[in-house]
Amino acid sequence: MKLVNMTDVESLSASLVREYLSRKGLKRSLRVLDDEFPRNEDSIRNRVILAKELRIEKLIRLNKEQDTPFRTMIEVMVKHFIEEKRGRASSRQNTVSDDRNERTKQQSISKDAGRDNVPKNSLELDKQLDLALRISNDNISAYKQQAGLKTDRNKDSSPSKSSTVLRPAKSLSDIGSSSEFPNASERHNRGSLKPLSGGSNATSKARNQGAIQNTTEKSRKTKSKKTLSVNTNGLLSNNIDDSASQTTKGPQLEDGILEISPQARVVGKQDLTKTQRTSTGNSMMDNTSLVQKKHAAKEREKPPMDILVFDDVDEEISAESEEVHLGLPANKLISKLHENSAGISMESAINLKKLIFGSSTMSFNQEWRNQSFSFCELPDLGYGIVQIKGGPCGILAAVQATILKHLMFSDNPKAQYNRPPDPSARERTKALVESAANILWRAGGRKGASIVTPSGKSKFLGGGRYKTDGLTETLTINDFNSEENLKAFISQNVGQFESESSSGCILLLYSLVFSRTIKRIKSDMDEPNGTLIGSHGYCTQELVNLCLTGKAVSNVFDGIMELDSGGATKSLLKGIEKQSDIGFLSLFEHYDSCKVGDNYKNPSYPIWVVCSESHFSTLFSINGRLLCERNFPQVFDIYYYDGLARQDEEIRLTIDTQEQYVEDSDDLIPPLEHCIRTKWKDATVDWNTTEPIL
């Protein structure tokens, strides 16, 4: 089992708290958190990464489908935990035996059968509560006058507005008798209700005055007191009475307040007669329904929760695309990061499509439109980009190779590992951001770069010269003159490149063209009318070279070759000018159709894009010193990854340069071995336990 990194736990927890504070509008708390627990390079600022790291993408999508979705990830997770706990409890209840269920059912029937099974004391107390419920406002006023209390004459004494609040006394014996109650003496013998004060008896007055003082003293020490409110309509409810309002001297019976024993209060709440329960229940249901309606209306008035906002992020969860965008709102992000932003013009769209397809009336096929930079979730292959169908493999393999460079050798070019990388979701997304920025910045001559983003609205109307495709005419072109701002923008909008439902591959291609500019790309090519996509939607060598070296040259040999055609002028064939970070191997060299130069065969990092059978894939080593002349090993391992082959296991090849390979004409030799031998001549290739790819 892979151990949990404590630093990752701390980083994820802090990111969750920051997301919660931001969504709740607690900006001061967020600033305090940033001061006391500053963000670092491990802090997550992208909710796509945060959701994937926590593996709650499905929970977020389910939450979005609710009528009133939660706005923060913590709430979504807590809701899930509560529902899961309730589900387990319900499952345990379902395992209870049938006889126990039957006993529970019989007990329930016995409770509702009537008052026959109710204890005598409960019946007596029930009668007391019944009596209290029938007290009218006039009787209360008369009772006050007898008790020597002041009556609020300004209050509306109509039955519909007056109410009686019953407060618990210590016991029934604390309550005196009153002539206002019928058969008071009989009830007194049974321990019934009695007034706290009343009559002319001096002893009674003194006793009651002492009780009042004790009650007042007790109320000072009590923060709040729960009371039972009974109005003349028979509505029963709980109230909270602050102790501050009960510190005044004198009897505590203002506004029609009576005292009743805790036993009577409990019985009144739990053992109402059927008639009382019906009337009270109806009133409570009406009021509850009204409260629920008001609550629902307030919820409808709340702003839509489609946009999930981090402090410096703005993310939309779309039910259709299942895409989460994190970052500043587009207008704020543009003003903070890039120098210029403009919608694409019809003329630019025409020239763009002519460069890519050769015609402005052509468009990308479905294979391209559905392709993004989403990663494999299989064990040992988490570093790999998944290709859906053939076509975009050239640009995918180039990005894949660059991602491997950042995962393994970005900090130390000569690093050595025991196994290929096993990145977390956050690490591979970060590598994708770094790779895309690196490719675009290099294409812009390391002076500037551009990124295109779809706006959803067409910038112009299509005509006879241009055929709309629903994407190109909606583009916004964002220009950058800082590599750091470029990375920040990609990080905030990485969902447009990584989401499975996006056209991330097309967006990166368009960004490449605008970073290099159409004019410079045409000057890079041997043929000015060349294209970046060939027949059947395949990437041309010019496009692969543009991704790997920043220039759309047409060849893979070193430098520039002059071609003497016998005329006055000589043709120039352009190749790779200097050592590339990522290498390139081709099956065409095995068939003597081309020559791959040392700048591609011996790259800065031991990673190669492989062209074999009109398909591009990736070959790499985990030993950063593999290409060092002095420490070159004679037997070593290299790994192969093909996003289109639907790999379900790691492919490890052992290369032996000591033992010379002898080709047998009867053997079926895998094309990949031919490509490998263009770099390591006559080496033997052992596929170990993997079935060779023919």
Side-chain angles (χ1 to χ4, degrees):
M1 178 182 290
K2 189 176 181 180
L3 295 177
V4 177
N5 191 314
M6 298 304 294
T7 303
D8 291 342
V9 173
E10 188 176 67
S11 175
L12 288 170
S13 302
S15 299
L16 273 174
V17 174
R18 284 189 170 92
E19 189 256 0
Y20 180 85
L21 294 176
S22 177
R23 286 297 289 144
K24 294 299 183 181
L26 306 176
K27 295 183 179 179
R28 284 187 297 177
S29 300
L30 188 59
R31 286 196 294 269
V32 171
L33 177 61
D34 286 336
D35 291 340
E36 297 183 351
F37 193 83
R39 307 186 193 197
N40 53 36
E41 60 180 8
D42 293 326
S43 298
I44 301 176
R45 295 174 174 82
N46 186 296
R47 289 193 70 205
V48 176
I49 303 173
L50 183 58
K52 288 188 175 182
E53 196 73 13
L54 295 169
R55 300 180 183 274
I56 60 170
E57 304 101 307
K58 184 178 180 181
L59 291 181
I60 291 178
R61 292 197 294 269
L62 293 175
N63 176 64
K64 178 64 175 64
E65 296 171 0
Q66 303 300 314
D67 294 335
T68 54
F70 289 102
R71 297 169 64 84
T72 67
M73 288 186 177
I74 291 179
E75 291 171 316
V76 173
M77 294 167 66
V78 169
K79 175 177 178 287
H80 171 69
F81 295 149
I82 292 175
E83 290 178 344
E84 192 176 51
K85 182 177 180 181
R86 288 177 179 172
R88 289 196 297 265
S90 176
S91 178
R92 288 195 297 269
Q93 289 177 0
N94 291 335
T95 60
V96 178
S97 61
D98 293 340
D99 56 338
R100 183 176 178 181
N101 289 335
E102 185 64 26
R103 287 198 304 269
T104 304
K105 183 177 179 181
Q106 292 298 331
Q107 291 174 1
S108 177
I109 294 174
S110 177
K111 275 186 177 181
D112 296 335
R115 302 171 63 88
D116 295 338
N117 297 326
V118 179
K120 183 177 180 180
N121 291 339
S122 297
L123 291 175
E124 294 300 333
L125 294 173
D126 197 13
K127 288 180 180 179
Q128 297 171 19
L129 181 65
D130 200 13
L131 175 63
L133 292 171
R134 292 198 297 268
I135 297 175
S136 66
N137 191 63
D138 294 338
N139 289 338
I140 294 171
S141 299
Y143 179 81
K144 285 183 177 182
Q145 293 174 3
Q146 182 182 355
L149 303 176
K150 294 182 180 181
T151 304
D152 189 357
R153 296 181 181 180
N154 296 328
K155 277 189 173 262
D156 189 352
S157 61
S158 61
S160 61
K161 295 185 179 180
S162 64
S163 63
T164 302
V165 180
L166 305 180
R167 287 181 180 161
K170 290 184 178 180
S171 65
L172 287 173
S173 61
D174 293 335
I175 304 175
S177 61
S178 173
S179 60
E180 294 297 327
F181 296 96
N183 304 321
S185 61
E186 181 182 354
R187 287 194 306 277
H188 174 66
N189 294 333
R190 293 198 302 250
S192 182
L193 295 172
K194 295 189 294 183
L196 285 175
S197 62
S200 58
N201 192 305
T203 304
S204 177
K205 283 186 177 181
R207 183 176 67 252
N208 292 332
Q209 185 65 29
I212 290 170
Q213 291 176 355
N214 290 336
T215 304
T216 304
E217 184 66 22
K218 184 178 180 180
S219 66
R220 290 194 185 101
K221 299 178 181 179
T222 307
K223 290 184 178 180
S224 64
K225 183 184 292 184
K226 290 188 177 180
T227 63
L228 194 64
S229 176
V230 185
N231 61 25
T232 55
N233 293 326
L235 180 60
L236 188 65
S237 63
N238 285 325
N239 296 318
I240 302 295
D241 196 10
D242 290 335
S243 60
S245 65
Q246 300 187 31
T247 57
T248 57
K249 294 182 180 181
Q252 303 297 309
L253 291 174
E254 293 186 2
D255 299 329
I257 296 176
L258 299 178
E259 297 248 358
I260 192 170
S261 71
Q263 296 162 322
R265 182 167 58 91
V266 171
V267 173
K269 292 175 67 175
Q270 297 181 353
D271 297 304
L272 290 174
T273 63
K274 194 171 290 186
T275 304
Q276 290 168 337
R277 266 179 279 176
T278 302
S279 61
T280 302
N282 291 339
S283 300
M284 294 180 70
M285 287 176 63
D286 293 340
N287 282 271
T288 303
S289 177
L290 180 60
V291 171
Q292 290 176 344
K293 289 180 180 178
K294 289 182 178 179
H295 180 71
K298 289 182 179 180
E299 289 295 326
R300 287 195 297 269
E301 292 174 0
K302 288 183 179 180
M305 299 182 185
D306 293 348
I307 309 273
L308 298 182
V309 182
F310 221 142
D311 180 39
D312 53 347
V313 299
D314 180 24
E315 176 178 355
E316 178 179 358
I317 298 180
S318 169
E320 296 179 358
S321 65
E322 300 179 358
E323 179 178 347
V324 183
H325 296 294
L326 282 178
L328 289 169
N331 56 343
K332 294 183 181 179
L333 191 63
I334 288 171
S335 62
K336 290 177 72 70
L337 295 180
H338 48 63
E339 298 298 314
N340 183 44
S341 175
I344 191 171
S345 65
M346 184 174 181
E347 195 65 29
S348 294
I350 290 174
N351 293 333
L352 180 64
K353 284 198 171 184
K354 282 184 177 179
L355 174 64
I356 293 175
F357 302 108
S359 171
S360 60
T361 59
M362 296 182 65
S363 299
F364 287 99
N365 56 29
Q366 204 61 34
E367 286 77 12
W368 275 86
R369 295 184 70 89
N370 293 337
Q371 185 64 58
S372 63
F373 298 99
S374 57
F375 288 91
C376 180
E377 300 297 341
L378 294 175
D380 301 327
L381 298 176
Y383 58 80
I385 296 174
V386 176
Q387 183 177 349
I388 301 173
K389 290 186 178 180
C393 54
I395 193 170
L396 290 173
V399 174
Q400 176 70 77
T402 312
I403 286 174
L404 287 168
K405 182 192 80 170
H406 283 284
L407 287 175
M408 294 189 294
F409 307 117
S410 60
D411 297 329
N412 181 10
K414 304 303 180 183
Q416 301 180 60
Y417 301 92
N418 295 324
R419 289 193 51 76
D422 182 21
S424 64
R426 179 168 45 134
E427 290 171 338
R428 63 191 186 186
T429 299
K430 181 181 178 182
L432 174 62
V433 171
E434 294 280 349
S435 300
N438 179 252
I439 290 172
L440 296 177
W441 191 249
R442 183 170 52 215
R446 305 187 184 280
K447 296 180 179 180
S450 299
I451 295 180
V452 298
T453 53
S455 65
K457 297 181 180 179
S458 179
K459 306 298 183 182
F460 57 85
L461 297 177
R465 295 188 301 157
Y466 175 83
K467 182 179 179 180
T468 59
D469 55 29
L471 176 64
T472 309
E473 58 273 6
T474 71
L475 298 179
T476 298
I477 306 170
N478 309 298
D479 299 326
F480 299 85
N481 59 9
S482 165
E483 187 176 10
E484 291 303 315
N485 286 347
L486 176 68
K487 290 179 183 178
F489 186 91
I490 297 174
S491 178
Q492 299 291 353
N493 296 273
V494 69
Q496 297 188 23
F497 299 95
E498 192 177 22
S499 173
E500 294 180 359
S501 58
S502 69
S503 299
C505 203
I506 297 177
L507 294 178
L508 185 62
L509 171 56
Y510 280 164
S511 299
L512 262 172
V513 173
F514 283 109
S515 295
R516 183 63 181 165
T517 73
I518 295 175
K519 181 179 180 181
R520 284 195 289 178
I521 289 177
K522 286 186 175 181
S523 66
D524 290 338
M525 298 178 175
D526 292 345
E527 174 57 48
N529 294 324
T531 62
L532 298 179
I533 293 182
S535 57
H536 308 294
Y538 293 148
C539 299
T540 62
Q541 189 64 53
E542 286 85 351
L543 177 54
V544 176
N545 290 341
L546 177 61
C547 292
L548 296 179
T549 67
K551 292 186 177 182
V553 295
S554 303
N555 305 284
V556 293
F557 51 71
D558 293 341
I560 298 175
M561 184 182 297
E562 292 185 358
L563 183 62
D564 190 355
S565 57
T569 59
K570 296 181 179 180
S571 299
L572 298 179
L573 303 181
K574 302 167 186 175
I576 310 304
E577 295 179 350
K578 60 182 181 179
Q579 184 184 32
S580 174
D581 284 350
I582 306 298
F584 184 83
L585 302 176
S586 177
L587 183 62
F588 291 113
E589 183 174 17
H590 170 74
Y591 294 122
D592 295 327
S593 297
C594 72
K595 172 65 177 176
V596 178
D598 288 338
N599 288 335
Y600 254 166
K601 281 186 181 177
N602 299 291
S604 301
Y605 302 93
I607 307 169
W608 295 266
V609 170
V610 178
C611 176
S612 174
E613 303 289 345
S614 300
H615 179 60
F616 296 93
S617 51
T618 311
L619 197 68
F620 66 95
S621 171
I622 58 176
N623 183 0
R625 304 180 66 84
L626 177 64
L627 301 177
C628 295
E629 293 289 341
R630 296 178 181 177
N631 301 312
F632 179 74
Q634 294 179 322
V635 180
F636 55 89
D637 290 338
I638 56 176
Y639 294 82
Y640 178 72
Y641 180 77
D642 182 3
L644 184 62
R646 298 293 187 270
Q647 277 185 232
D648 57 3
E649 62 179 346
E650 182 180 87
I651 298 178
R652 179 177 61 88
L653 308 175
T654 299
I655 311 299
D656 188 347
T657 59
Q658 290 177 313
E659 184 178 351
Q660 188 172 7
Y661 172 75
V662 178
E663 183 175 344
D664 189 339
S665 58
D666 295 332
D667 290 343
L668 290 176
I669 303 173
L672 181 59
E673 290 189 22
H674 290 316
C675 295
I676 291 172
R677 291 189 184 101
T678 63
K679 163 63 179 167
W680 295 283
K681 187 176 178 60
D682 297 329
T684 60
V685 179
D686 184 0
W687 288 76
N688 297 307
T689 59
T690 307
E691 188 71 21
I693 301 175
L694 298 174

